Amino acid sequence: MAPSLDSETLLYVLGVAFALGTLAFFASSVAFDLSITVTAALLLVTFVVFLIAGIAVDRPPLDTIAFAVSGVAYVVFLGYVVSRYRPDPVTVFVLLAASAGLFVGLGYALQENRLTIDRRTARIALLGLAAVGVLLVGADSIGEVEYTTDLDDELVPEETTATGDGTVVFNEQRVGTLSIENPTLFTRAVEPPSLDGCLAGVETDRVDGVGFYYEPRSYQLPDRLGRSEETTAEIYVSVALPENVTAPGEPIPIERAESCGVTRSEPTLIVVNDEPERVLPR
């Protein structure tokens, strides 16, 4: 006979599944501008909150649901810590072994009724954990990772390569520096800003064959910075433009702009930052 699943159990399972989705979405930091440290801490707080709730309620199946959500929160917490901090294999092994011991110990303590919390104590503990969460979020809102672009005043084209279609590609060369600094108390994710641009002031009004990249490349830069840490990257550009517009060694001014919808009387490299609100010029 096939096992049956009553409607109440199905609803409980769906509730736990949605709790997993909610916690996974929170950990992805899609909708929350929280540091890595605080995100991990809040996931751990969530684990403790539902664990205390499950111990204090002692009313099937609500206690089982609370324990299930608590376990889900811990799994998401552990997965988040491993994926963001990327500890070495030995540390991962220790974390997994300690987690196994933690849950086996909790199960044994609950089975023997050695772990009990009265509702008054549970309420005080939950209020304390809520206060901790609020304090963490408040402290996390002070400051953010700072991105500063320091651009050269001009681009001096080097040796060129003809493409055969009436355009010339100038060699990729350095035009500035990106500085990234984390002045906050917590470890934060690093997301280098995207740079775009064009060459204004040529016969075609502007040339869109401009490409920027970082060295080291964006994927080679640190994906997080700890407290007071900083890093830098060089900004490089390559430009494709019609022949005879300029010659190797002839300087091209570099300007910042909000868009490429500008005109200039002479060839000018226009640099556009896609997110000017979070990038400081220098």
Side-chain angles (χ1 to χ4, degrees), residues 174-178 213-217 221 232-236:
R174 179 192 175 282
V175 292
T177 303
L178 170 69
Y213 71 92
Y214 297 115
E215 187 61 47
R217 300 302 179 100
L221 286 170
T232 60
E234 303 298 322
I235 302 172
Y236 280 77

Side-chain angles (χ1 to χ4, degrees), residues 256-274:
R256 302 175 189 267
E258 295 182 357
S259 71
C260 279
V262 297
T263 57
R264 294 293 184 270
S265 59
E266 60 179 358
T268 304
L269 179 63
I270 303 299
V271 181
V272 179
N273 173 30
D274 292 344

Side-chain angles (χ1 to χ4, degrees), residues 66-265:
F67 288 137
V69 175
S70 177
V72 164
Y74 187 87
V75 170
V76 175
F77 157 76
L78 190 61
Y80 180 80
V81 168
V82 171
S83 65
R84 297 315 300 264
Y85 286 97
R86 297 179 184 174
D88 59 79
V90 174
T91 303
V92 174
F93 173 81
V94 171
L95 287 173
L96 292 174
S99 300
L102 170 65
F103 282 97
V104 169
L106 286 173
Y108 177 77
L110 289 173
Q111 186 178 24
E112 298 295 325
N113 291 323
R114 295 179 179 179
L115 186 60
T116 58
I117 301 177
D118 61 81
R119 296 195 176 186
R120 180 177 180 278
T121 302
R123 283 194 294 268
I124 294 174
L126 293 178
L127 287 174
L129 289 170
V132 169
V134 172
L135 289 175
L136 285 172
V137 173
D140 199 35
S141 64
I142 302 174
E144 57 185 12
V145 175
E146 296 178 355
Y147 302 89
T148 305
T149 54
D150 185 7
L151 296 176
D152 298 340
D153 295 328
E154 57 186 18
L155 165 68
V156 181
E158 298 177 357
E159 181 181 351
T160 61
T161 303
T163 62
D165 60 357
T167 62
V168 173
V169 177
F170 285 95
N171 287 346
E172 299 173 344
Q173 60 191 90
R174 179 192 175 282
V175 292
T177 303
L178 170 69
S179 300
I180 308 174
E181 181 181 2
N182 177 21
T184 68
L185 299 173
F186 308 111
T187 299
R188 290 186 174 274
V190 171
E191 299 177 358
S194 298
L195 295 179
D196 196 4
C198 56
L199 193 73
V202 296
E203 293 181 358
T204 56
D205 187 33
R206 72 174 187 272
V207 174
D208 296 318
V210 176
F212 291 91
Y213 71 92
Y214 297 115
E215 187 61 47
R217 300 302 179 100
S218 297
Y219 62 86
Q220 295 174 319
L221 286 170
D223 62 354
R224 67 187 185 280
L225 288 178
R227 175 183 177 181
S228 301
E229 288 186 343
E230 59 183 67
T231 188
T232 60
E234 303 298 322
I235 302 172
Y236 280 77
V237 66
S238 64
V239 183
L241 66 160
E243 292 181 288
N244 303 321
V245 168
T246 187
E250 183 177 342
I252 297 177
I254 300 176
E255 294 184 11
R256 302 175 189 267
E258 295 182 357
S259 71
C260 279
V262 297
T263 57
R264 294 293 184 270
S265 59

